[in-house]
Amino acid sequence: MNRSSLRARVTAFYVSMLALALVFFCLGVYGGVRAYLTRSLERSLNHTAQSIITDYVIPLDSKGIAWFQNEMSESYPPGISDPFVRVSQGRKILYESGDMRDPLVRVSQLPLPADPAEPGTFRRETAGTGQPLMIYTTSRSSPRGSAILIETGASMEPLLHLLHSLVMILLIVTPVILLGAAVGGHILMAGPLRPVVTLTEQAERVGRKELGERLTIIPSGDELERLSLALNRMIDRLEEALAHNQRFSADASHELRTPLTIIRGELESLLEIPDLDPQAVEGIGSALDETDRMARIVHNLMTISRLDGGGERIEMLPIELTSIVKTTLDHMNLLAEEKGIAMTCKSVEPVWVTGDAMRLKQVIVNAVDNAIKYTMAGGSVIVGLEALEGQAVLTVADTGIGIPAVSLPFVFNRFYRADKARSRESGGTGLGLAIVKAICGAHNGAVSIESIENRGTTLRVHLPLLDITAREITALQSSQSKPSPSSREEPSTVSSTRI
């Protein structure tokens, strides 16, 4: 269980409050039971003392000590009396019930009250065997001498044993209650939080391809309904803003194509002028280079806008991606050889996906050209393709200059370049990886990148595998081996910059 989740935190708060309440409850129960048992024992001792005074001490002067001792021995026989009793006058003991047997209490070893002037009091003593005792002392005036003290006492061992049993019960029951409350609270919280989980899952799906999907409105009339409405309104605003940006990029790119074509034509016509000054020729050539660069930027922007906005028609057909990878690498091997870079292909088994062959080839070209461009002479570029967990994984790894860690989160942003001077020298525009990401998104795929500065970069493209049987593969291979009556023009494979 995630400790930082709302469900865990609410359950923890609920259990904490219950634990605090149970602590006070247990303390109250223990204190109440202890007070009740103590008062009950005190009332019992007091009642016994008053009975002795009424029945035996008051008639003592008229009936004599022999009668008193005989009657007391019948009512409170020595050795089995509980509570024990002791009647004394001055330092003389008139009657003593004797030792208690269960538990053993030697009454003869208990001292007489130190201050007989305070009758009607309770005191606690400890017997020689360690038994705690409660003794009640009261007095009765005697017309023939000093006051007669009556002591009644009982062992507190049964009381303490009962309290100890109560404590053990509370110590066992309380954790069980808390555990049950934690499990029950965690289960009960699943119901109220289920709409939140549903909203979260729906929100995760929104925007993976486009923002057309909306969250389900929860008709609860509470904060959850207001939250779902607020999120839908926010998605509406985001969709409107993104659509505006896409329209702007597409319109701007479209409007810039004609002026750039005219500028290029005018510059080329200027170069045809005879006896043109060499400095002018150099300036016109530089302007043509910049015009070409800007034309590539405009073309790439139009490509990204169409892919993001759904304006680009993607032909989703069964494709054997391995052959496309090998063919593309054969064409690009010359670039690697010119820089003294070793390029290796690790794709062996046929991997089938559904997609647009020309666009997927553009992904391979951009990724490999990017790796070659930023790998020094003597380095290597390794391209791999494998089927892994229902996905085709294209890997392009190089031993180039790498990407700073602070730049990795932004490498798929348009026009983002960490080393602008080096990217400028290589002719990059900062749109190559953005095109790769847009094409992968149009194919329900994903792209990721890992890099260590001055050690190399690894780009991975994930595409859904085509669920196809061996017989269907044979049929597709035979159909694709036939010459196509027409071919579509390959899109521009302008390389991306390493940021």
Side-chain angles (χ1 to χ4, degrees):
M1 182 178 65
N2 185 5
R3 295 182 180 179
S4 61
S5 66
L6 178 62
R7 187 177 181 184
R9 285 186 281 123
V10 171
T11 303
F13 177 79
Y14 162 69
V15 173
S16 299
M17 293 298 99
L18 180 61
L20 186 62
L22 285 176
V23 168
F24 283 107
F25 173 76
C26 292
L27 292 176
V29 169
Y30 178 82
V33 171
R34 180 184 178 90
Y36 171 78
L37 294 176
T38 303
R39 286 194 298 269
S40 297
L41 182 58
E42 290 175 349
R43 284 195 299 269
S44 175
L45 296 178
N46 183 35
H47 176 73
T48 301
Q50 296 302 323
S51 298
I52 293 174
I53 292 174
T54 303
D55 296 336
Y56 306 112
V57 174
I58 292 177
L60 173 61
D61 291 336
S62 58
K63 294 187 178 182
I65 189 66
W67 170 85
F68 174 77
Q69 292 177 345
N70 182 57
E71 293 295 326
M72 287 290 294
S73 63
E74 291 182 0
S75 299
Y76 306 98
I80 59 173
S81 177
D82 186 14
F84 74 85
V85 298
R86 183 169 59 185
V87 181
S88 61
Q89 189 173 25
R91 307 303 297 177
K92 178 182 179 182
I93 296 177
L94 301 181
Y95 181 79
E96 189 174 72
S97 62
D99 297 339
M100 298 177 60
R101 300 299 180 186
D102 189 19
L104 177 63
V105 176
R106 299 190 182 280
V107 180
S108 58
Q109 297 180 359
L110 296 177
L112 290 171
D115 189 5
E118 295 183 3
T121 59
F122 292 92
R123 76 178 190 274
R124 296 187 181 184
E125 297 282 354
T126 301
T129 56
Q131 299 293 334
L133 304 174
M134 177 177 289
I135 300 175
Y136 175 70
T137 304
T138 186
S139 64
R140 172 70 179 181
S141 300
S142 174
R144 297 184 179 182
S146 59
I148 298 176
L149 296 179
I150 299 95
E151 295 176 87
T152 58
S155 173
M156 297 184 67
E157 187 67 25
L159 182 149
L160 296 179
H161 179 73
L162 182 59
L163 290 176
H164 181 265
S165 300
L166 176 63
V167 170
M168 295 304 297
I169 292 173
L170 294 177
L171 289 177
I172 294 174
V173 171
T174 300
V176 173
I177 294 176
L178 292 178
L179 180 61
V183 174
H186 187 72
I187 295 174
L188 289 176
M189 282 299 297
L193 291 179
R194 190 173 293 113
V196 178
V197 175
T198 303
L199 282 178
T200 303
E201 294 174 349
Q202 292 178 350
E204 288 287 345
R205 292 193 298 268
V206 172
R208 289 187 175 178
K209 291 190 64 178
E210 55 186 17
L211 293 176
E213 187 178 357
R214 292 295 180 269
L215 303 178
T216 303
I217 303 300
I218 303 173
S220 56
D222 57 7
E223 290 79 0
L224 291 177
E225 181 176 359
R226 293 197 294 273
L227 175 62
S228 55
L229 290 171
L231 289 175
N232 280 338
R233 289 193 292 268
M234 180 188 69
I235 295 173
D236 290 337
R237 294 191 296 269
L238 289 175
E239 185 175 27
E240 182 180 354
L242 290 175
H244 175 76
N245 289 337
Q246 291 169 358
R247 287 193 303 268
F248 174 78
S249 298
D251 295 343
S253 302
H254 181 75
E255 293 298 328
L256 286 172
R257 293 178 67 184
T258 301
L260 287 173
T261 303
I262 295 173
I263 292 173
R264 180 179 180 82
E266 294 291 340
L267 291 173
E268 289 177 346
S269 64
L270 289 175
L271 288 176
E272 296 176 357
I273 298 176
D275 300 327
L276 192 63
D277 184 81
Q279 187 174 0
V281 173
E282 183 180 354
I284 293 172
S286 177
L288 278 173
D289 291 340
E290 291 301 320
T291 302
D292 290 339
R293 181 174 178 274
M294 191 169 185
R296 292 196 302 270
I297 294 176
V298 169
H299 180 83
N300 288 338
L301 280 176
M302 289 189 65
T303 300
I304 295 174
S305 299
R306 289 171 179 173
L307 290 170
D308 288 344
E312 177 78 6
R313 188 170 65 91
I314 302 293
E315 295 183 0
M316 303 299 287
L317 301 174
I319 297 172
E320 202 277 286
L321 192 58
T322 305
S323 60
I324 296 178
V325 171
K326 291 181 178 179
T327 303
T328 305
L329 293 183
D330 289 340
H331 294 162
M332 301 188 69
N333 195 46
L334 182 60
L335 294 176
E337 291 177 352
E338 289 178 353
K339 290 192 65 175
I341 297 172
M343 189 159 62
T344 307
C345 179
K346 289 188 175 181
S347 178
V348 179
E349 297 295 332
V351 176
W352 287 81
V353 298
T354 302
D356 188 308
M358 293 298 102
R359 287 302 179 191
L360 292 179
K361 183 177 180 180
Q362 189 176 7
V363 169
I364 301 169
V365 169
N366 282 4
V368 174
D369 184 73
N370 205 40
I372 295 174
K373 191 175 297 180
Y374 292 97
T375 300
M376 300 298 101
S380 64
V381 175
I382 301 175
V383 180
L385 179 64
E386 60 179 340
L388 185 64
E389 297 180 355
Q391 289 186 326
V393 182
L394 173 67
T395 305
V396 180
D398 63 61
T399 58
I401 61 176
I403 303 172
V406 295
S407 299
L408 281 177
F410 313 105
V411 294
F412 295 106
N413 294 351
R414 301 177 189 180
F415 299 110
Y416 183 81
R417 292 177 295 180
D419 191 345
K420 295 180 174 56
R422 187 170 297 181
S423 298
R424 184 80 176 187
E425 292 174 2
S426 65
T429 61
L431 292 173
L433 290 182
I435 292 176
V436 170
K437 181 179 179 181
I439 295 175
C440 291
H443 286 77
N444 297 319
V447 60
S448 62
I449 193 167
E450 299 174 0
S451 183
I452 300 177
E453 198 169 4
N454 299 320
R455 293 185 61 180
T457 301
T458 300
L459 180 75
R460 289 186 177 87
V461 174
H462 299 260
L463 298 171
L465 275 177
L466 177 63
D467 188 9
I468 191 170
T469 62
R471 180 177 299 179
E472 292 172 335
I473 290 176
T474 304
L476 285 172
Q477 287 174 340
S478 61
S479 64
Q480 291 182 0
S481 63
K482 297 178 181 180
S484 176
S486 62
S487 60
R488 186 160 55 91
E489 181 182 357
E490 180 179 348
S492 172
T493 57
V494 177
S495 63
S496 67
T497 61
R498 172 50 55 82
I499 332 303

